[in-house]
Amino acid sequence: ELVDAKLKKVKVQPSELCDDAEFIRRVYIDLTGLPPTPEEVRAFFADQRDGRVKRDALVDALVGSEAFVEHWTNKWADLLQVNRKFLGDVGAATFRKWIRDAVVADMPYDKFAYDILTASGSNVDNPPAAYYKVLRTPDAVMENTTQLFLAIRFNCNKCHDHPFERWTQDDYYNLAAYFAQVDRTADPKFKGQTLGGTAVEGAKPLVEVVADGKSGEIKHDRTGEVAPPKFPYAVTAEVAPANLRRVQVAKWITSPRNPYFARSYANRLWAYLLGVGLIEPIDDIRAGNPPTNPELLDRLTAEFVKSGFDARVMIKTICKSRTYQLAIRTNKWNKDDEINYAHALARRLPAEVLYDSIHKVTGAVSRLPGLPPGARAAQLPDSNVELPGGFLDLLGKPVRESACECERSGGMNLGPVLAMVNGPIVGDAIKDPNNRLAKIIAAEKDDARAVEEIYLAVLNRFPTPKEKAAAVEALRAAGPDHAAMLAEYKIKADALAAYKATLDAKQKAWETGLVSEKPTAWVPVDVEKAESKHGAAAKDGAKLTVNKDGSILASGKTDPVEVYTVTGKAKLKDPITAVRLEVLADPSLPAKGPGRADNGNFVLNEFRLSYRTADKPDAKPAPVKLTGAQATFQQDQFPAGNAIDGNPTTGWAVAPQFGRDNAALFRFQQPVPVVAEGVAFTAVLDQRFGTNHVIGKFRLSVTTEKNPKLGSSLTPEQIALLEPPEAKRTADQKAKLRAMYLAQDKEYGRLAADAANPPPADARVLGAQDLTWALINSPAFLFNH
């Protein structure tokens, strides 16, 4: 009535009512962020009830549905800046869940706003407290709150009185004072966990406890005096001076008599559903920006308050109105109208709605980072999610760093166009071999009927006769392209098949290489005696204690010259080929070792080894010529080879690898023979660097392998799979080894990727893909009405 009265005043004739096809797509997308399915469209068309009755029934069914909840949760998550940058993973998830629960419960809007503005406690235990974790200063909270909940922009008057509005600089600081006594402390349950942090700004606690403090003020920039809390205009509300400041301001803001609170959200809802607010921008109410239809905005505001601030009642009221249901088609009188609601206004679908709609109409499974397959973009925790081609960023999903509606963009410049025309999101959804298109073509051999199904899926209506004829032609026109694709694919498939024939031989060579990388089996020397001598006088030196694991720990005083002598036995069946000296970290050592120097280092100047077979206890030990030194780590100019070069002025050291284990390997120039009784070794560790640069903890081991190694690149799983000979491996072991081989064969990976997506067997599927691509890139799909 009020829209019609305005149109009569300006002498504009409105459009007719939209048809059922236009209505069902419009109302589904506006209320749920998703288009209807072909089955839902057919059922609505077949409903023989009066048009107004069945449309009202559909609105009632959609409002409050699961899809409705996700769509409107996403809207409020934008406005409340649910962002992991500010809140971390756990904070963002719990805040979004709280918003979702509020939408599910149809929480009255005044309670919703009040609970946010007065929230206290941990922002994880009481998620609306996150509002004060995102907004950290009194002026930031005040500016955001007035724009979000009152649609008043209190920022111009921060530095001076507003030149064109009633708001003064005093108003700014007086209102900000209500948010000056908010304390934020780290939640002890998340002690030590922080978020963000730069060279300019320190890190914040991951989770914070928000509370009302007894102190904290804001100073007026011009006067330098403390600004007292005072409201910029009077509102009849139960605001007692004894109340906490946040309680006072929350009651003032959410009062039914506040002239901006209900009015701002009524205008916001109208804009969401009609495409343009009665006041634009929708979060900028001021005297210099009057509504295009004041009577209508007054009526909407009154109805909203009367409903008990029930947003669902307002949404239903708007969607059931004739104004909402006008056609987009214009007449010569209203074609230029964009503010009086003489016809429906076309709006490009928001980024998340486009993403979700593309997957729904094609029947492809969405794959969003951090969410299960098939989830909606509306369910993403924030904008910090990388999608192929940067789809959501290009299409204007807001970054959630402000409550301003201007953060979201809905234009169709070059970036969004290219994302739709040749981006991976659209392309992959259309080419998905298990999508709706393949199923339609498989089930429907009649081209005309297949075209109808595609139109119902993508545009939610039947094609016109002209469209059907063109679409059938497109469906049949894919034959030559399909033949070319099959020929190209055959080349790729043949190349892959030829390469597969060589896999057994290639894998065998690969396995042979892996076997050579198997870790060396080292046997610790069974230590019988370990002693240390100081200097040239050979006085008793440091104390060497032998541990159960064969390691030896040094303690006590050291000398500039410290010589460790260790004797022990090893029983092996084959000639011994090498010795390993492990230098080990230990909590008792400076910097945890492995050396006894203050920084944990050591210098081993000389390492000598001799042996005798245990069956000849009186024989003189024979020296072992050591060669081929290797080390897991060696300090610059202090390589392990220095320890066997016969020069006591050089040595092996490991700076700066302190507090961790290291090892050196020394090969035997000639293998040491073995007897049943074993081989007795004597190892001498000569250390002459001084300043306590002696080894603090070490262990000696020997091996019989011809090509000993200190480490191995193999994983424990690979070692276990390679252990049994090929003939005795189970089918599961063989399959796992084949998978491991293929994972590292780059040429196989390239060929397999080339042949991974065969063309559909039926050329009509290719035609259906072409048709669907064209429909998705048409204004009929990209725009809301």
Side-chain angles (χ1 to χ4, degrees):
E1 297 159 1
L2 294 171
V3 169
D4 189 55
K6 174 70 181 295
L7 292 176
K8 287 178 179 177
K9 285 183 181 179
V10 296
K11 295 182 171 54
V12 171
Q13 181 180 341
S15 295
E16 297 298 319
L17 278 176
C18 65
D19 60 24
D20 280 353
E22 190 172 352
F23 174 77
I24 188 173
R25 184 170 190 273
R26 178 185 305 176
V27 77
Y28 261 88
I29 288 176
D30 282 347
L31 295 185
T32 71
L34 292 171
T37 65
E39 295 74 21
E40 289 165 336
V41 173
R42 287 183 182 277
F44 189 71
F45 288 174
D47 190 336
Q48 296 300 308
R49 289 180 294 175
D50 175 74
R52 182 168 184 171
V53 171
K54 74 175 187 178
R55 291 186 182 193
D56 286 359
L58 180 57
V59 171
D60 289 337
L62 293 180
V63 173
S65 66
E66 186 75 12
F68 170 93
V69 167
E70 298 297 351
H71 183 56
W72 290 82
T73 296
N74 188 56
K75 285 182 179 292
W76 269 108
D78 287 343
L79 296 173
L80 292 172
Q81 301 169 61
V82 178
N83 189 335
R84 286 173 292 179
K85 173 182 174 181
F86 303 134
L87 302 172
D89 290 341
V90 63
T94 53
F95 197 11
R96 186 189 185 280
K97 182 181 182 302
W98 182 86
I99 295 170
R100 189 182 189 281
D101 290 344
V103 176
V104 169
D106 191 21
M107 182 184 291
Y109 179 63
D110 58 339
K111 176 174 171 50
F112 179 77
Y114 184 88
D115 286 357
I116 291 169
L117 295 174
T118 60
S120 295
S122 163
N123 68 275
V124 167
D125 296 335
N126 187 29
Y131 188 72
Y132 293 95
K133 180 167 176 58
V134 174
L135 303 162
R136 307 191 64 83
T137 61
D139 53 345
V141 179
M142 185 274 294
E143 288 185 17
N144 192 90
T145 300
T146 52
Q147 184 169 357
L148 177 59
F149 293 117
L150 302 177
I152 302 174
R153 298 192 179 183
F154 256 56
N155 42 31
C156 182
N157 52 316
K158 181 176 185 178
C159 302
H160 50 75
D161 291 348
H162 199 296
F164 309 116
E165 301 297 327
R166 61 187 287 192
W167 315 123
T168 68
Q169 191 177 14
D170 290 346
D171 291 338
Y172 182 96
Y173 291 98
N174 293 151
L175 191 54
Y178 284 101
F179 300 101
Q181 296 183 344
V182 179
D183 292 338
R184 301 166 183 83
T185 57
D187 187 335
K189 288 186 289 186
F190 296 84
K191 185 177 180 180
Q193 299 182 53
T194 59
L195 187 68
T198 65
V200 177
E201 185 179 24
K204 305 292 188 300
L206 177 64
V207 179
E208 291 179 285
V209 176
V210 173
D212 291 287
K214 295 182 179 179
S215 62
E217 302 292 350
I218 186 170
K219 288 187 177 181
H220 196 301
D221 263 7
R222 187 183 72 251
T223 66
E225 297 179 354
V226 171
K230 182 181 178 183
F231 298 125
Y233 53 88
V235 169
T236 304
E238 295 178 5
V239 180
N243 289 144
L244 296 169
R245 289 189 184 182
R246 286 195 299 151
V247 172
Q248 292 180 47
V249 75
K251 287 185 175 181
W252 176 79
I253 286 173
T254 61
S255 168
R257 297 179 180 85
N258 190 312
Y260 295 96
F261 179 64
R263 187 179 185 87
S264 65
Y265 197 56
N267 182 61
R268 195 183 292 267
L269 288 174
W270 182 268
Y272 286 160
L273 295 168
L274 273 298
V276 63
L278 291 155
I279 296 174
E280 282 288 339
I282 62 176
D283 49 12
D284 188 15
I285 296 178
R286 50 190 164 84
N289 187 29
T292 56
N293 191 327
E295 295 81 9
L296 176 58
L297 185 53
D298 290 344
R299 176 71 174 272
L300 288 168
T301 302
E303 291 290 334
F304 190 31
V305 173
K306 182 181 177 182
S307 74
F309 292 98
D310 191 327
R312 290 188 185 180
V313 170
M314 289 301 297
I315 291 169
K316 289 180 180 180
T317 298
I318 295 170
C319 290
K320 292 177 182 179
S321 71
R322 180 182 182 88
T323 302
Y324 176 81
Q325 296 181 29
L326 289 176
I328 193 171
R329 292 176 300 280
T330 60
N331 54 54
K332 65 179 181 178
W333 305 104
N334 70 0
K335 62 181 180 179
D336 295 326
D337 177 60
E338 293 186 350
I339 62 172
N340 294 307
Y341 313 104
H343 60 86
L345 296 174
R347 287 176 287 148
R348 203 215 71 202
L349 302 190
E352 303 92 318
V353 176
L354 264 178
Y355 180 92
D356 294 336
S357 297
I358 288 166
H359 287 85
K360 186 168 184 182
V361 303
T362 59
V365 176
S366 64
R367 303 194 183 278
L368 294 162
L371 295 178
R376 293 177 57 179
Q379 296 172 294
L380 286 168
D382 57 21
S383 300
N384 301 313
V385 176
E386 288 292 333
L387 288 190
F391 185 87
L392 294 178
D393 293 338
L394 286 172
L395 272 297
K397 180 174 172 61
V399 294
R400 293 185 179 172
E401 295 184 4
S402 147
C404 185
E405 290 280 356
C406 59
E407 265 202 344
R408 182 179 291 277
S409 62
M412 284 301 288
N413 53 28
L414 185 60
V417 169
L418 291 177
M420 295 298 300
V421 170
N422 61 9
I425 296 299
V426 176
D428 291 348
I430 289 175
K431 290 187 297 183
D432 186 334
N434 300 311
N435 67 12
R436 186 193 306 274
L437 307 180
K439 294 173 183 175
I440 289 174
I441 296 302
E444 188 56 74
K445 301 306 178 185
D446 183 280
D447 290 344
R449 292 176 64 87
V451 163
E452 286 184 354
E453 289 301 313
I454 292 171
Y455 263 80
L456 281 174
V458 181
L459 300 186
N460 314 126
R461 63 172 175 81
F462 287 105
T464 66
K466 185 178 179 180
E467 288 172 334
K468 183 185 291 188
V472 168
E473 185 179 346
L475 205 65
R476 296 169 179 172
D481 283 346
H482 186 253
M485 290 175 67
L486 287 175
E488 182 181 353
Y489 178 75
K490 185 177 186 305
I491 294 172
K492 296 176 180 178
D494 290 347
L496 178 62
Y499 194 81
K500 282 182 176 180
T502 69
L503 287 180
D504 289 343
K506 291 180 182 295
Q507 182 176 335
K508 192 168 184 179
W510 173 74
E511 288 183 23
T512 301
L514 288 186
V515 170
S516 68
E517 287 293 317
K518 288 178 67 176
T520 297
W522 294 97
V523 178
V525 172
D526 186 7
V527 179
E528 297 173 341
K529 185 178 181 182
E531 61 180 2
S532 179
K533 297 293 184 181
H534 283 333
K539 294 181 180 180
D540 289 343
K543 180 182 177 182
L544 300 182
T545 302
V546 181
N547 299 314
K548 291 182 180 181
D549 62 357
S551 65
I552 300 168
L553 180 65
S555 60
K557 293 184 178 180
T558 63
D559 190 76
V561 177
E562 195 80 19
V563 180
Y564 298 165
T565 302
V566 179
T567 57
K569 187 184 295 184
K571 288 187 177 182
L572 295 167
K573 294 181 180 180
D574 298 313
I576 300 171
T577 59
V579 63
R580 180 181 66 178
L581 170 61
E582 295 175 275
V583 288
L584 307 170
D586 190 89
S588 68
L589 300 172
K592 296 184 180 180
R596 299 186 68 191
D598 290 344
N599 63 357
N601 202 8
F602 67 87
V603 177
L604 175 61
N605 298 91
E606 286 294 306
F607 179 68
R608 299 185 292 274
L609 194 68
S610 59
Y611 81 96
R612 61 174 174 77
T613 55
D615 61 336
K616 298 177 181 180
D618 298 327
K620 183 180 178 181
V624 178
K625 179 64 176 175
L626 301 176
T627 184
Q630 301 175 28
T632 54
F633 183 81
Q634 50 197 16
Q635 184 178 333
D636 289 346
Q637 301 181 11
F638 287 83
N642 284 357
I644 58 172
D645 64 358
N647 181 358
T649 66
T650 63
W652 173 45
V654 295
Q657 294 274 13
F658 309 131
R660 63 186 70 180
D661 298 342
N662 280 293
L665 175 156
F666 305 101
R667 295 172 181 265
F668 297 171
Q669 193 172 62
Q670 296 294 330
V672 169
V674 297
V675 296
E677 293 83 355
V679 178
F681 286 103
T682 299
V684 177
L685 287 72
D686 193 338
Q687 302 156 105
R688 300 170 177 267
F689 192 82
T691 60
N692 292 342
H693 276 68
V694 297
I695 296 173
K697 188 177 183 180
F698 63 99
R699 180 167 50 218
L700 293 167
S701 307
V702 292
T703 186
T704 62
E705 294 187 14
K706 293 180 180 180
N707 294 299
K709 300 177 295 297
L710 283 173
S712 172
S713 60
L714 302 185
T715 65
E717 184 182 17
Q718 288 174 323
I719 294 169
L721 290 172
L722 291 167
E723 195 63 34
E726 184 178 354
K728 293 187 177 180
R729 290 174 189 161
T730 65
D732 182 59
Q733 288 172 326
K734 291 178 180 178
K736 287 181 178 178
L737 273 172
R738 175 53 65 94
M740 286 180 181
Y741 169 74
L742 293 179
Q744 58 80 52
D745 188 331
K746 293 183 179 179
E747 179 62 10
Y748 174 81
R750 183 186 70 80
L751 293 171
D754 285 347
N757 297 306
D762 189 338
R764 295 164 67 239
V765 173
L766 193 62
Q769 292 175 353
D770 291 342
L771 173 59
T772 302
W773 176 90
L775 295 180
I776 285 177
N777 277 284
S778 71
F781 178 83
L782 293 171
F783 288 80
N784 199 26
H785 293 91

